Every structure is written in structure tokens, then in C-alpha cells.
Amino acid sequence: MTSLVIGAPGPAGELAAALRAAGVDASVDEDRPDEPQSGEIAALAAELLRLEASLSERQPAAVVLVDAGDRALAAALVATKLLIPVAVVGVDGAEGQNEDLLAQLGDRKLSADPAEIAAWIEALPRLR
């Protein structure tokens, strides 16, 4: 089962490595927009479009979010639209409204324990 980890590069890379060690085919979404967008809404819209193309192409079994930033919010929206399960990991205490939205959009709120995340991914129904 494949998973795509989205979040700040350091924590996302560490979690992806730990998931690979636990037997999950995990990769980090490292794509960044080429041009900075003028304004927060334009940047979010560009990220939604980029992530939809990326997730449609990769078709991961799950998306794992490691922070509550705008990229994570965009990923949760796109993954939900594409019927890809979403786990929200380690965002307790994050400030801002994204944490509340991610709690509603995510399928599961998990700890950063790779074994717990791997067990959740393994238990997902296989529709493909």
C-alpha cells in the first residue's frame, strides 16, 4: 500500500522514512509551486490544482498530513474529493482554523507512531 506524506519537509521526511521502515511504501510530496502566487487565496487555489493532478497520477492508498498548514488543508480537500483516505498526524495544539477543518475532513486522527499509521493503512479497503 502506498502513502503520500504531506507537510513541512523535515517532519514529513522523517515520518516517511519511519513508515518505510515499518513496511509502508511512503513518499513525500516535495513539489513546490514554481512561481509565488500573489495572495493567499491564489496560492491555495494553485496548490489545489497541483495536488489534484499529482494525487490523480500517483493514486496513493492514503494521504498522511503531518501539520495543519495550508498545503495540508489543500491536500485534505483534494484527497477527500478523490476518495483517498486521509490521516491527520501530530497536529494537536496547532494554531489556526486549519486544525478544526482537518479534524472534520480527515478520516482518522493518529499519533506519529509509524506502527499505528502502518496498521491503519494496511486495514484500509482495497478498491483498486
Side-chain angles (χ1 to χ4, degrees), residues 61-75:
V63 170
V64 180
L65 309 175
V66 296
D67 63 29
D70 287 345
R71 288 183 72 226
L73 178 59

Side-chain angles (χ1 to χ4, degrees), residues 11 15 64-68 87-94 99 102 108-113 116-117:
L15 183 59
V64 180
L65 309 175
V66 296
D67 63 29
V88 181
V89 175
V91 297
D92 291 331
E99 181 183 5
L102 291 175
R108 186 64 54 106
K109 190 173 185 181
L110 301 171
S111 72
D113 177 13
E116 180 183 5
I117 298 167

Side-chain angles (χ1 to χ4, degrees), residues 4 7 9 11 21 24 29 32 40 45 49 52 58 62 69 80 85 88 101 118 123 127:
L4 183 63
V24 175
D29 177 50
R32 300 276 192 243
E40 187 176 351
L49 292 172
E52 184 166 9
R58 293 181 188 198
T80 300
V88 181
L101 290 170
L127 300 176

Side-chain angles (χ1 to χ4, degrees), residues 34-110:
D34 293 334
E35 300 176 14
Q37 300 296 317
S38 59
E40 187 176 351
I41 301 299
L44 185 59
E47 189 65 4
L48 287 165
L49 292 172
R50 185 193 70 77
L51 281 166
E52 184 166 9
S54 178
L55 290 175
S56 294
E57 180 182 319
R58 293 181 188 198
Q59 296 186 358
V63 170
V64 180
L65 309 175
V66 296
D67 63 29
D70 287 345
R71 288 183 72 226
L73 178 59
L77 289 167
V78 171
T80 300
K81 175 185 175 188
L82 298 175
L83 303 177
I84 300 170
V86 176
V88 181
V89 175
V91 297
D92 291 331
E95 297 196 18
Q97 295 176 339
N98 287 359
E99 181 183 5
D100 294 336
L101 290 170
L102 291 175
Q104 293 175 11
L105 291 169
D107 294 294
R108 186 64 54 106
K109 190 173 185 181
L110 301 171

Side-chain angles (χ1 to χ4, degrees), residues 1-5 15-28 58-64 118 121-122:
M1 306 263 316
T2 62
S3 66
L4 183 63
V5 181
L15 183 59
L19 288 172
R20 286 191 293 274
V24 175
D25 181 13
S27 61
V28 177
R58 293 181 188 198
Q59 296 186 358
V63 170
V64 180
I121 293 171
E122 187 59 36

